[in-house]
Amino acid sequence: MQLLLESLFNGVAIGSVLLVAALGLAIVFGLMGVINLAHGELIMLGAYTTYVVQLIFKLPALQPFYNAYVLVAIPLAFIVSGVVGILLERTVIRRLYGNPLETLLATWGVSLILQQFVRSFPLAYAAGLVLALVLGFSLPIILPDKLLQGPRARLVRAGSWLVSALAGVLLAGGLASQISRIARATSRNVDVTAPKWMRGGIELSGMTFPVPRLVIIVITILAVLGITWFLNRSVWGMRIRAVTQNRSMSDCLGISTDTVDVLTFGIGSGLAGIAGVAVSLLGSVGPNVGTSYIVGCFMVVVLGGVGNLFGTVLASFAIGVLTDLIGAGRLLSIWPSMPAPLASVVDFFATTSMAQVMVFALIVVFLQFRPAGLFPQRGRMVEA
């Protein structure tokens, strides 16, 4: 019984990482129909954001607040990945809606660019660039409408971008001078050290529950609840669902479909950034850290049913539990009377990598009989 409980917890922990990584993809791919192969690199940006925030909190002025750096890294990772996602949507994706093959190839190219960018560009300068982009997109929204109308509109917009660029340069210079680790480009993996309150484990009924995995589970629960509330209760969430079901009718009713596209892609990308925070707490961070999650994310979304958040949750936990049962060899311990031929097969796949292969193979077989996933999408969009 204890082995089963341990497998369930480990499976939920694995599934939580997969779920928080797949949530953003479930929105972008499920609701918008965009195959974003750069989603893994958005996860990577969130992980690197956590690393930079950790180094900033190691500075003497912020050292007393070091244990709270994760709480700061989560919203910052959301913003960084969200802004990059918005930039990607405005410059590349918006011209490729309705062309899945072209979108796939374009986002694959973007993923390679982002990987090389991290290898070749100092993180201090990257932080300055992100700050400039955030301010550049935000200032026109914050400024009064009177300043953005009339003959001075272009001058005001140019001035806002100039101020944003100056702020980015100052941040990059300050970080480069204070933190030598991010002043130069490097392709080596880096490590994120968990704060003291996230180390160790909690003993309960003879079982040890690692605190980092518990924190990731909590982050995942909050992310799922937040995105569920947003899509079902908020005004913009209802607009997103309306555009998803009938884009032309939503446009006729006065809904800004372009704004909905930007918002949807930004939120999906931001969730990938939060996934990066979770990933950084479990292992090293490198340019390829997101690549290992992209296939699993697509599997989760497709297995659960494209556009169905509940299906995404169920699929991620199912994959997590199966991966742990097979990969850790617990299935043989739980079922000691397993037939010898089946036991030899299970024993062969009793490693993490081979367990993932077996789980993905089972998913492929399942999709042959139920190609729409566990919970097929229903409604006008499907009928159309």
Side-chain angles (χ1 to χ4, degrees):
M1 185 64 181
Q2 185 173 349
L3 283 175
L4 181 59
L5 291 177
E6 288 180 357
S7 291
L8 287 176
F9 172 76
N10 291 331
V12 169
I14 295 171
S16 296
V17 177
L18 202 56
L19 175 58
V20 74
L23 267 180
L25 193 64
I27 294 175
V28 174
F29 179 48
L31 298 182
M32 300 180 67
V34 174
I35 304 175
N36 181 18
L37 289 185
H39 188 78
E41 280 58 48
L42 296 173
I43 296 174
M44 173 198 68
L45 293 178
Y48 271 108
T49 301
T50 308
Y51 173 69
V52 173
V53 171
Q54 173 200 236
L55 294 180
I56 292 175
F57 271 77
K58 285 184 177 180
L59 295 174
L62 296 176
Q63 184 69 37
F65 308 101
Y66 177 78
N67 288 329
Y69 83 84
V70 174
L71 303 179
V72 178
I74 291 174
L76 285 181
F78 182 89
I79 293 172
V80 170
S81 295
V83 168
V84 174
I86 290 173
L87 186 63
L88 174 62
E89 196 278 337
R90 290 289 85 183
T91 56
V92 178
I93 302 298
R94 68 180 302 186
R95 295 172 173 82
L96 300 175
Y97 284 123
N99 300 291
L101 180 59
E102 288 83 351
T103 304
L104 187 147
L105 292 174
T107 54
W108 177 64
V110 170
S111 70
L112 298 179
I113 292 172
L114 289 176
Q115 289 180 21
Q116 193 59 39
F117 174 82
V118 170
R119 291 189 180 98
S120 308
F121 208 68
L123 292 178
Y125 300 152
L129 177 61
V130 171
L131 177 63
L133 290 174
V134 171
L135 292 179
F137 285 125
S138 302
L139 286 179
I141 300 175
I142 299 173
L143 293 174
D145 293 337
K146 294 181 180 179
L147 295 177
L148 300 176
Q149 297 175 356
R152 295 183 298 176
R154 290 186 178 181
L155 182 61
V156 172
R157 291 182 183 275
S160 65
W161 277 104
L162 182 61
V163 171
S164 303
L166 179 60
V169 170
L170 292 176
L171 177 64
L175 290 178
S177 63
Q178 295 294 324
I179 307 174
S180 59
R181 294 186 190 179
I182 58 176
R184 296 179 180 178
T186 178
S187 59
R188 296 180 180 178
N189 288 5
V190 296
D191 294 318
V192 175
T193 305
K196 291 182 179 180
W197 61 274
M198 286 185 62
R199 300 173 190 172
I202 298 176
E203 297 285 343
L204 185 63
S205 301
M207 297 174 57
T208 302
F209 300 95
V211 176
R213 292 190 178 273
L214 290 173
V215 172
I216 292 173
I217 291 174
V218 172
I219 292 174
T220 303
I221 292 173
L222 293 177
V224 172
L225 292 177
I227 199 63
T228 301
W229 176 88
F230 176 79
L231 290 176
N232 292 283
R233 298 294 181 183
S234 68
V235 174
W236 279 104
M238 288 186 283
R239 290 175 179 174
I240 289 173
R241 290 189 290 120
V243 172
T244 300
Q245 291 187 0
N246 196 320
R247 187 180 186 89
S248 58
M249 181 59 70
S250 301
D251 197 13
C252 292
L253 293 174
I255 297 176
S256 176
T257 54
D258 284 343
T259 304
V260 168
D261 291 339
V262 172
L263 182 63
T264 305
F265 211 90
I267 291 174
S269 302
L271 289 171
I274 295 178
V277 178
V279 169
S280 68
L281 297 174
L282 298 177
S284 298
V285 176
N288 298 318
V289 68
T291 307
S292 57
Y293 288 91
I294 187 66
V295 175
C297 290
F298 274 107
M299 283 291 185
V300 166
V301 174
V302 174
L303 177 63
V306 176
N308 191 301
L309 288 181
F310 178 74
T312 302
V313 174
L314 189 62
S316 62
F317 289 146
I319 291 175
V321 172
L322 279 176
T323 301
D324 184 75
L325 282 173
I326 299 172
R330 290 191 175 93
L331 192 58
L332 292 173
S333 301
I334 295 174
W335 187 10
S337 59
M338 183 182 299
L342 182 59
S344 62
V345 173
V346 172
D347 184 63
F348 175 77
F349 285 96
T351 61
T352 302
S353 57
M354 292 303 294
Q356 290 178 347
V357 172
M358 186 175 185
V359 170
F360 290 160
L362 292 174
I363 293 174
V364 170
V365 173
F366 174 81
L367 292 176
Q368 299 301 311
F369 299 95
R370 198 176 178 87
L374 292 171
F375 299 95
Q377 195 174 40
R378 304 180 187 278
R380 295 179 182 176
M381 184 179 65
V382 178
E383 295 171 0

